[in-house]
Amino acid sequence: MFKEKLAYYFSAGLIAGTLLLIIEVIDHFLFLTNFLSSVKEKLIFLATSSFLPVGMLLLSTIFVVIALMGEAINKTFDRLGYKETRFRTIMTAIPISAVVIFVAQNYPYLWKDALTKIFSGVGEYFLGINFGTKTTFLFSTIATFSLVFFIIWLKDQGIELLKKHQAKFFYPSLICFILLALMYWANTRLYVGRYGYSFHRPLILTILFISFIFGLLVTIRSPRFYLYSALALLFFIITPLGYQFYKFNAVKSLVWHRGGLTKAYIAFAQNLTDFDRDGFSPFFGGGDKDNFNPNSNPLAVEIPNNSYDENGFGGDFKIKSCKNDKHHKKLPSNELALAKNIIFITVDCLRADHLSVYGYGRPTSPNLDLFASKAAVFHNAYSLGTNTGHTFSGIARSNYGPGIFNDEIMTMAEILSQQKYLTTAITAPPTKKWLGKDRWTSYKNIMLKGLQNIVNDGKEYWDSSQLTDKTIAYLEENKEQPFYLWVHYDDLHAKGEKYLRYGEQDYGSSLMDIYDSNIAYTDKHIGRLLDYLRSSGLLEESIVAISADHGEEFGEHGQFFHGGRPCRVQTHIPLILWYPGINHQETDVPVSSIDINPTLLKTVGLSTPKEYRGIDLREVLNGNSKRRKIIVETPRNIPESRSFAWALVEGEWRFIYDIKGNTFELYNTSLDPNEYNNVIDQNPEQAEKMIAEFGHWLDRQSMKKGYRHWERF
């Protein structure tokens, strides 16, 4: 009888995994296989779903082990004469839970880490609190005991109880099926770039639990163990085909970034096989070429000239190769002052391709169009990061990750303050509330460092109309002395993950329609500010840069808003530059937001620190910088450091390397502007070239202080 109950666990897991496989295959076939170019890739992608029944069988094995431990303790109770069922179940669950918790404490990657992430995510996303270690341990202990108690209860009473009422299984099974389909849709379609701090981890746990209950109900209703054994054998035959996924880069990246539960099982398998605990495994394409050396992995610090490639990119780094690096070479520049003042206007979340001047079909930006007609327009400008903090901090120090957090590098505002400039920020969000969470603190301090005045330091949020009024009033009072003024508009930013409509323009009711309507509203009031600059004479003695901190996504890659991976829709930003004497120019040469501050400084006659990585954009306009590597980074305050990605942009090509899954992507943005088709396997020469270039860049970054700075967040 007891052996039969153990068979129920295995059958329930197999049926649960089969059901999840069916749901995932349908979901992937209908929505994701169009991202792959060949039939073979599509078949292998669909075959990865065979990991689900195999994984559920392994999960059932854990349940069986717990049940066996419970049976051993039950025999002890029998000998002692304890018959009360509830007491026996509780007293059996307590020591087994203690064993599981002990194992979790000593081998946290088996259980503790997953629970910690789940409860930390729930605490921050749903409750707005940060669970401390003690609180997380308490909830993890409760969850462990609940699971063990449930398994023991099933063995002792539950299965027999369900057998007695099997005629009533239809509706519970139907409800389970509907819930699973809905939850799976949510897991693969809603905020797929935010696994670290949203509902996904608890949702996955719920999906696994409900699917197991469904499998148990079906098994009790129809205990065909021989048929289930044959089904299990079939999946073990198919699984090796799915295991080939990591050999096809397009399939691999799709599995990791748009897949469903499959990637959770793959991540767990990699975690188990990461023997040196450096966060990477050599299995499933994890990228660790030496699984017994924690200093050898894709994020390792490169040691130059030692005949060993620590991070596996581009071979051993030769220190002499730094000498002729065009990207870091100080380009010649005329440091004669062309302007007295600096005005930096930014619009939060503004995608370049939603402006008329960048070819958008809707007339969203007539005032910016007019201004751009007499200024320099950079058609391929990219933000350093995908959220506000990382980009603006990178602009402040004209640097990438390690340099952003290097306090020895002066921000532009600090330099200008030393030169007797009046440095001021006028921001739509009040700075006391803006970037208010703990993990934004480091960014906020960098962004505001050197600014003498923060105009909106209160509690009131200003829309574009109010912000423009405040800015004009401020300029009227302070236009006599040289100044640096940063004005930041925020009407495009979703409030509480919802777009609020501003102004009278109405393009429709969808998210993108409201977003475009708000662009028109912001453009109207930026137009008022530009009119004031012209009429007051300030424009003729100032350099004006108009740009954004990042773009915005509307589901192109499974995510909405921003803060995700460095794809084009989240990083392609407008950049319009005007200074006295400029003639209208347009360029397609890729540039970065880290180029803004060197340009501003040199246009007012000041030199840039040697640590600045950006260049003077006037050199681009003069044709002196035709080929550069533009780097885009994932923000370093994301909750999950193992989801960090970089993009390398060269002309029409964008290469993306993501730590999550150790994935490689290549897109031709002239043919595929939204980057739907990963063509890395079809363009091996271009891919090899850009992987090597990115590897050399990453080698240099890894040797800098603070390279793995995100671990402190």
Side-chain angles (χ1 to χ4, degrees), residues 472-480 532:
I472 292 173
Y474 176 85
L475 287 171
E476 275 293 297
E477 294 180 6
N478 298 280
K479 61 184 179 182
E480 298 303 325
Y532 169 78

Side-chain angles (χ1 to χ4, degrees), residues 97 191 203 231 408 436 443 471 479 488 584 684:
S97 299
Y191 309 112
L203 184 62
L231 188 62
E408 296 176 2
Y443 279 142
T471 302
K479 61 184 179 182
H488 183 63
H584 174 66

Side-chain angles (χ1 to χ4, degrees), residues 210-438:
I210 292 178
S211 65
F212 184 81
I213 295 298
F214 176 86
L216 191 62
L217 293 175
V218 173
T219 302
I220 291 173
R221 182 71 173 173
S222 180
R224 302 173 182 176
F225 298 120
Y226 290 107
L227 176 62
Y228 300 150
S229 299
L231 188 62
L233 180 62
L234 174 63
F235 287 130
F236 275 102
I237 293 172
I238 296 174
T239 299
L241 176 64
Y243 182 74
Q244 303 298 311
F245 80 96
Y246 69 88
K247 297 180 181 179
F248 300 84
N249 286 293
V251 177
K252 184 181 177 185
S253 62
L254 198 59
V255 167
W256 278 104
H257 305 303
R258 297 296 302 275
L261 250 66
T262 296
K263 64 183 175 186
Y265 277 110
I266 295 173
F268 184 67
Q270 286 188 342
N271 206 12
L272 289 179
T273 55
D274 176 18
F275 301 137
D276 55 13
R277 311 313 304 160
D278 62 357
F280 297 89
S281 167
F283 300 100
F284 297 96
D288 194 343
K289 64 178 185 178
D290 187 346
N291 205 18
F292 297 94
N293 179 5
N295 296 316
S296 174
N297 60 68
L299 277 184
V301 174
E302 185 72 14
I303 300 174
N305 303 324
N306 69 341
S307 301
Y308 185 76
D309 185 11
E310 279 77 9
N311 61 14
F313 284 107
D316 179 39
F317 182 72
K318 305 301 181 184
I319 200 72
K320 64 180 181 180
S321 64
C322 282
K323 294 181 180 179
N324 297 317
D325 180 10
K326 294 181 181 179
H327 182 51
H328 295 291
K329 180 181 178 182
K330 184 175 180 180
L331 298 171
S333 178
N334 179 10
E335 294 182 5
L336 177 67
L338 298 177
K340 171 187 172 185
N341 308 307
I342 298 173
I343 300 172
F344 184 30
I345 301 172
T346 56
V347 183
D348 213 304
C349 307
L350 181 56
R351 277 174 64 157
D353 62 356
H354 277 242
L355 296 179
S356 312
V357 66
Y358 283 83
Y360 196 45
R362 285 173 171 169
T364 55
S365 53
N367 291 290
L368 288 176
D369 296 353
L370 177 62
F371 183 73
S373 66
K374 299 179 181 179
V377 180
F378 297 85
H379 285 285
N380 286 309
Y382 297 98
S383 61
L384 175 63
T386 58
N387 75 16
T388 301
H390 197 78
T391 296
F392 282 149
S393 297
I395 290 174
R397 286 191 169 129
S398 186
N399 238 297
Y400 307 109
I404 290 174
F405 302 100
N406 185 352
D407 290 335
E408 296 176 2
I409 301 176
M410 296 179 68
T411 67
M412 186 182 75
E414 288 181 287
I415 295 171
L416 292 170
S417 293
Q418 289 185 359
Q419 297 296 321
K420 309 303 181 184
Y421 276 74
L422 177 64
T423 59
T424 302
I426 306 179
T427 63
T431 54
K432 288 182 179 179
K433 292 185 177 181
W434 194 26
L435 311 181
K437 293 185 178 181
D438 292 340

Side-chain angles (χ1 to χ4, degrees), residues 642-670:
R642 295 302 178 195
S643 296
F644 199 86
W646 290 272
L648 168 64
V649 179
E650 279 191 1
E652 64 186 5
W653 296 99
R654 177 182 292 244
F655 166 78
I656 297 178
Y657 171 69
D658 199 331
I659 293 170
K660 189 175 183 66
N662 188 46
T663 60
F664 299 82
E665 300 163 66
L666 182 68
Y667 300 96
N668 186 315
T669 54
S670 65

Side-chain angles (χ1 to χ4, degrees), residues 25 45 50 68 109 196 214 233 237 282 289 328 374 400 412 483 489 494 506 512 533-534 560 565 570 667 669 684:
V25 166
F45 177 58
S50 64
L68 288 171
Y109 52 91
F214 176 86
L233 180 62
I237 293 172
K289 64 178 185 178
H328 295 291
K374 299 179 181 179
Y400 307 109
M412 186 182 75
F483 63 81
Y489 290 83
D506 186 357
M512 189 176 287
L533 294 177
R534 295 185 189 98
F560 289 85
R565 298 169 65 252
Q570 289 202 34
Y667 300 96
T669 54

